[in-house]
Amino acid sequence: MKNILITGGAGFIGSNFIHRLIKEKPEVKLVNLDALTYAGNLDNLKSLEGNDHYTFIKGDIGNQALVESLLLKHEIDTIVNFAAETHVDRSILGPIQFLNTNVVGTGCLLEAARKTWRGRGSDSVRFHHISTDEVFGSLAPNDPPFSESSQYSPNSPYSASKAASDHLVRAYYHTYGLPITISNCTNNYGPYQFPEKLIPLMIMNCLKGKPLPVYGDGRQIRDWLYVEDHCEAIQLILEKGRVGETYLIGGENQPTNLEIIHQITAILDEIVPNSPFRPHANLIQYVQDRPGHDRRYAMDISKIRGEFGWSPTYTLQRGLRATIEWYLSHQDWIKALVEKEEFGSWMKNNYANRGDAK
Ligand code: NAD
Ligand code: DAU
């Protein structure tokens, strides 16, 4: 691992991963290929300007010729594919872009790697694909958690497109011998997450005294992982993961969305005592549910724990507090995003017709 191509590195997890690698492995050279969609934000990486071990390239993973030229020019030996359309609600309102990026884009990236790395084995190159627990579908309350052998059963256009990309990556291993690994992770949270997602949206709306939109009954269960823990797990898989294998990553917690929102509002009540919107829980508003909404996700992480001794280090309480403190101290970062026309029209599109469910 000397020269790494990170795709989607201007997004939430990718930018956290870049910051981690620059700190942990200062000898490696990083190239960040990102199309800078609405979710890509170079402000996340401002502190790296002028760092000669970091190069940013604006471009699409679906541009196979561009990817091939980058692999050759920068002598890339490792690809970590974060680039994707990632928001389930957006996939419901506009699925085709999810197919273009997540399926065709990943296919082009794989094809560029196959052509450029022809004849090179797992001792010298690696294609790591970042995926999600959502490919496995929804669990009933007493079902055992997902494991590496769980059946794929995606329910949204987003998760179906991620499932297709996982299948392609696996097929390139079996058909062409491309040295790959895949990781499927649960819901991440932490610094630099785009404020369309549950946790940053709730923090932002509390600070502005806006309603906190809870889909359906709010009793859906997610497993939450602080983004730094996810990045550590990815690094371990790059360093120690067995080629051709999939690793599940998760936070080993099972709160309902309502519980998460109540934790956020309680922390804000405490650390923003002068807020005119206290108690922030009064801002909760039940709205129409997300169609096809998965009820519960949970992960069995015994494989990654057993092979590398990895487990999450942040409790939910500690991670939420760290996240809220980060957003409180980065209000300019949020302001710059939410003032964009694109964000305003997304919020209108997604929430205007949901109404108040009660
Ligand atoms: P994000 O939406 O914050 O960032 C995605 C990034 O990809 C953006 O910078 C965007 O500009 C870039 N991008 C989009 N299309 C591109 C294209 N065609 N070519 C190049 N770049 C493109 O996403 P995230 O939350 O950081 O997720 C990163 C990856 O992790 C995704 O593959 C996602 O499926 C997966 N994942 C996310 C979570 C989560 O909770 N956020 C959990 C599990 C897995
Ligand atoms: O599980 C991993 C996945 O987590 C990733 O693969 C996705 O890229 C990522 O976006 C995330 O998907 P979710 O749909 O779980 O995340 P989101 O933050 O959109 O929603 C979390 C839960 O909160 C979900 O049950 C829907 C609910 N929700 C979300 C929003 C935005 C609400 O109740 N109200 C909202 O306004």
Side-chain angles (χ1 to χ4, degrees):
M1 188 159 83
K2 287 193 186 118
N3 300 314
I4 309 183
L5 177 69
I6 290 171
T7 71
F12 163 46
I13 308 175
S15 58
N16 276 281
F17 186 69
I18 289 175
H19 285 299
R20 177 186 176 86
L21 274 199
I22 294 274
K23 210 165 107 210
E24 296 278 317
K25 299 194 83 65
E27 71 283 7
V28 302
K29 290 198 169 154
L30 302 178
V31 177
N32 174 13
L33 171 65
D34 196 298
L36 296 183
T37 67
Y38 78 91
N41 185 356
L42 289 180
D43 284 352
N44 301 2
L45 297 159
K46 253 201 169 122
S47 62
L48 299 182
E49 279 168 16
N51 184 321
D52 62 4
H53 277 220
Y54 170 77
T55 306
F56 174 72
I57 308 285
K58 182 172 182 219
D60 192 321
I61 57 167
N63 183 344
Q64 193 186 321
L66 170 67
V67 177
E68 283 176 24
S69 73
L70 292 176
L71 296 183
L72 290 170
K73 179 174 174 202
H74 297 276
E75 297 178 3
I76 298 294
D77 53 44
T78 306
I79 298 174
V80 188
N81 183 27
F82 292 95
E85 290 293 336
T86 63
H87 193 29
V88 173
D89 292 322
R90 290 192 191 242
S91 82
I92 293 166
L93 294 177
I96 298 306
Q97 189 54 36
F98 284 69
L99 306 185
N100 290 338
T101 294
N102 300 359
V103 187
V104 179
T106 301
C108 292
L109 201 58
L110 284 163
E111 196 52 15
R114 177 174 83 88
K115 275 181 75 180
T116 313
W117 289 346
R118 208 184 293 270
R120 295 182 66 181
S122 57
D123 52 340
S124 68
V125 290
R126 173 79 70 83
F127 186 110
H128 182 69
H129 181 62
I130 306 292
S131 192
T132 169
D133 56 358
E134 302 205 5
V135 297
F136 301 117
S138 187
L139 293 169
N142 296 317
D143 282 349
F146 300 128
S147 73
E148 283 79 5
S149 56
S150 292
Q151 188 182 315
Y152 273 45
S153 190
N155 292 317
S156 72
Y158 163 68
S159 53
S161 68
K162 290 297 288 186
S165 67
D166 292 9
H167 292 321
L168 274 174
V169 174
R170 189 169 175 274
Y172 267 67
Y173 170 64
H174 285 282
T175 306
Y176 304 114
L178 187 75
I180 64 100
T181 38
I182 299 175
S183 53
N184 296 80
C185 188
T186 56
N187 283 63
N188 281 220
Y189 67 104
Y192 302 118
Q193 186 166 31
F194 193 81
E196 65 188 353
K197 306 281 167 64
L198 181 75
I199 289 178
L201 179 72
M202 295 297 148
I203 298 171
M204 189 179 74
N205 283 8
C206 280
L207 296 177
K208 288 197 195 143
K210 288 191 169 175
L212 309 180
V214 176
Y215 292 168
D217 65 3
R219 298 191 192 284
Q220 303 82 7
I221 290 173
R222 296 288 181 271
D223 172 321
W224 295 92
L225 182 69
Y226 193 63
V227 64
E228 266 179 32
D229 281 332
H230 185 191
C231 292
E232 181 190 38
I234 297 167
Q235 188 183 334
L236 281 167
I237 296 169
L238 289 176
E239 290 171 344
K240 302 183 181 177
R242 287 178 293 127
V243 164
E245 294 287 318
T246 287
Y247 293 89
L248 300 197
I249 306 169
E252 295 198 304
N253 52 54
Q254 293 281 281
T256 63
N257 291 341
L258 268 179
E259 283 163 352
I260 287 274
I261 294 166
H262 278 290
Q263 286 198 44
I264 293 171
T265 56
I267 295 171
L268 281 168
D269 287 351
E270 179 202 323
I271 64 180
V272 195
N274 298 327
S275 162
F277 310 116
R278 286 176 79 226
H280 294 94
N282 283 353
L283 298 169
I284 288 175
Q285 187 178 59
Y286 291 87
V287 299
Q288 203 179 81
D289 207 350
R290 172 187 279 176
H293 199 171
D294 287 335
R295 200 65 187 165
R296 174 178 167 240
Y297 306 137
M299 285 301 215
D300 174 353
I301 60 165
S302 40
K303 179 171 173 180
I304 189 168
R305 178 184 273 129
E307 286 193 23
F308 316 140
W310 179 88
S311 57
T313 63
Y314 277 78
T315 60
L316 190 53
Q317 186 64 21
R318 179 172 161 236
L320 279 177
R321 197 168 273 269
T323 305
I324 290 170
E325 280 165 358
W326 187 88
Y327 279 92
L328 281 173
S329 60
H330 288 78
Q331 296 203 39
D332 287 351
W333 180 92
I334 311 182
K335 195 164 173 266
L337 291 180
V338 303
E339 279 179 354
K340 287 189 182 154
E341 200 188 325
E342 199 283 336
F343 188 77
S345 67
W346 164 250
M347 294 300 280
K348 219 163 141 196
N349 263 345
N350 192 43
Y351 294 99
N353 298 322
R354 282 199 129 92
D356 190 333
K358 279 197 170 164

